[in-house]
Amino acid sequence: MLCFANVSTFYGKIQALHDVSLDVRQGEIVTLIGANGAGKSTLLMTLCGTPRAASGSIRFEGEELVGQPTCDIMRKAIAVVPEGRRIFARLTVEENLAMGAFFGSKTEHEEQLDKVLQLFPRLQERYRQRGGTMSGGEQQMLAIGRALMSKPRLLLLDEPSLGLAPIIIQQIFEIIEQLRTDSVTVFLVEQNANRALKLADRGYVLENGHIVMQGSGEELLHDSKVRDAYLGA
Amino acid sequence: MSARLRLAFFSALLVPLVAFPILGLKLVTVGINLEIQGAAPLTWWIIAACTLGMFVWQLLRRRLAAGWASSPNLPRIPAGTGNFLTRPKTQRWGILALALVALVWPFFASRGAVDLATLIMIYVMLGLGLNIVVGLAGLLDLGYVGFYAVGAYTYAMLGEYYGLGFWTCLPIAGAMAALFGFLLGFPVLRLRGDYLAIVTLGFGEIIRILLRNLTEFTGGPNGISGIEKPTLFGLTFDRRAPEGMQTFHEFFGLAYNASNKVIFLYLIALGLVLLTLFTINRLLRMPIGRAWEALREDEIACRALGLNPTLIKLSAFTLGATFAGFAGCLFAARQGLVSPNSFEFIESAIILAIVVLGGMGSQLGVILAAIVMILLPELTREFSEYRMLIFGSLMVLMMIWRPQGLLPMQRPHLELKR
């Protein structure tokens, strides 16, 4: 479904990604783990088109994405939950969700709204409240809900557990698990390696811009190197 | 105590420091020379008293404030008032009531008052237009007066060289301002925040200086005069009609009244303001309005949702400029004369002050602020040289009491019942 082939990305002269290749298949949950500054977010942003990949190709459902402007890429069946939530603080929950479905038709919008509110009953409770007045966990739910409003086939999550209480992280991961049943493919970028690997079908480990390891979630979870480096056990 | 003493001392020191050069020294013409003379002893005593007063006030401020709060029979504004006043429904009725009053009022008011009200209407329109750019899209535009100038000069020049009338020129002025907004927007909108503000400021000045130096077309510093007043379906409001035209009072068999002309212009202004209000209200309910607000909140999130920030910013910029163009056309018609002096930076600052004073994004707030901002300098005209001082201190007081503006924008929300 999504396929990176030898992608390199630069920030000015500094190379952030070195010949990264990975693929995400239909219906999978794939996770990308790595330390701070390994290039995880850069990889996601390269997919979105800012910064552009200097070489290599990124294909989504067979279509080349490299070279397309960000807004065109994001209007395909890809949705991204950016790092740090980035909800519209002074807009209401309703408006935030509506922004997610900006390019859809009205009927699709209502249909998807029902689905999202079912998935996050909490958002229903806070429907007319301003986004910025909610707790961190609720904001994260809103960010995911907003991304789902465009009816994506591929959902990109950038550190959904950032700065949240363990119990909320638990809830968020349960919801990600649920998405699989709705045939949404999930690509999860996480620092919380333990949880992410438990959830994921497959995982990749990124280190200094190189993919250094890949395998099923189970395999990586029990790999001694991964355990030493990321799980601290 | 010592910190307060120090604060009181320096505050008190500032009073003579500021007052001495301004009030204490006087320039007097002696023969053909200027001479600096000290002021009368009374002035010195007043300054000394103010200094002492400032010292005591700063020293005992805390205690005085406590005393003020505990003093009983002060009429208080009920707590819910602010909330009630900013509620969208209240504001809608407020605007309706204002519009009704504005419609009837000119027939009973004096000619000067109606003329002033026309000016206020022009500023309301400018405020509403800038509100799109600054309040909704969050782009700080300090060169807004440039588009106002484009609108005014479009009418003035088309009237001067091609003899076109007000009604033909009004849409053209809007379109020209929109075109300028669009063209200037392209290079500018890659910038953000302070940088955007500086560059727009520059563009505003460029337009003004261009108008001053293109002497062959714009008349340079003298501007263009003798701009025609608008007509009512070909009926002029002059005493005698030019050839091939008819006057308003002859057509309806009324006695000639010079204030008809002023009232007519005022009604046009009112109509345009209502049109502006209606358009902006519609736009706010459309996806584009929400996109503007979303862009103000978070540009990266907007990009993540597949919106094109450049396009959205450009639309806000262009639309804001259009309303400035209409306002400019009206201004040219009211004034009968346009010159670059009318479009200096201070105008941009006043319009921006209207938007900020009214409460960003709020429409009723902008209208009230425009009334206050234009009326105040006129009302305090008797205090002549001190009126800017009064104006400034009112702005300071305003920012202390209502820092979010007169009537800040409020979104519909439910109250939690306990």
Side-chain angles (χ1 to χ4, degrees), chain A residues 136-177:
Chain A
E138 287 163 345
Q139 290 188 15
Q140 185 67 56
M141 289 177 194
L142 178 58
I144 297 175
R146 187 179 64 185
L148 288 174
M149 285 300 289
S150 63
K151 232 177 171 181
R153 289 193 290 277
L154 175 66
L155 182 68
L156 311 167
L157 290 160
D158 197 350
E159 303 223 9
S161 70
L162 190 75
L164 299 183
I167 182 129
I168 306 286
I169 298 179
Q170 173 94 28
Q171 281 177 17
I172 299 272
F173 275 90
E174 272 164 20
I175 283 159
I176 296 172
E177 180 100 61

Side-chain angles (χ1 to χ4, degrees), chain B residues 302-317:
Chain B
C302 274
R303 290 167 62 113
L305 295 173
L307 300 164
N308 187 343
T310 320
L311 219 60
I312 297 170
K313 282 184 189 175
L314 211 53
S315 66
F317 219 66

Side-chain angles (χ1 to χ4, degrees), chain B residues 88-102 128 270 273-274 277-278 281 362-368 407:
Chain B
K89 205 174 169 188
T90 323
Q91 298 217 349
R92 219 169 313 135
W93 285 110
I95 287 176
L96 203 66
L98 269 182
L100 276 179
V101 171
L128 288 172
L270 182 65
V273 165
L274 291 178
L277 269 174
F278 177 75
N281 262 315
S362 147
Q363 293 175 344
L364 185 58
V366 166
I367 295 172
L368 291 182
L407 296 171

Side-chain angles (χ1 to χ4, degrees), chain B residues 157-225:
Chain B
M157 285 164 76
L158 284 178
E160 170 96 2
Y161 296 117
Y162 300 100
L164 295 182
F166 175 81
W167 294 108
T168 331
C169 289
L170 186 67
I172 300 176
M176 275 303 277
L179 181 73
F180 268 74
F182 187 75
L183 290 179
L184 298 187
F186 254 113
V188 161
L189 292 177
R190 303 154 54 92
L191 306 168
R192 250 179 253 177
D194 312 353
Y195 305 101
L196 177 75
I198 293 170
V199 175
T200 50
L201 176 85
F203 270 130
E205 288 297 286
I206 287 172
I207 290 181
R208 182 175 66 86
I209 291 169
L210 210 64
L211 290 175
R212 199 171 64 190
N213 289 315
L214 279 175
T215 319
E216 298 101 276
F217 305 109
T218 62
N222 297 330
I224 299 170
S225 55

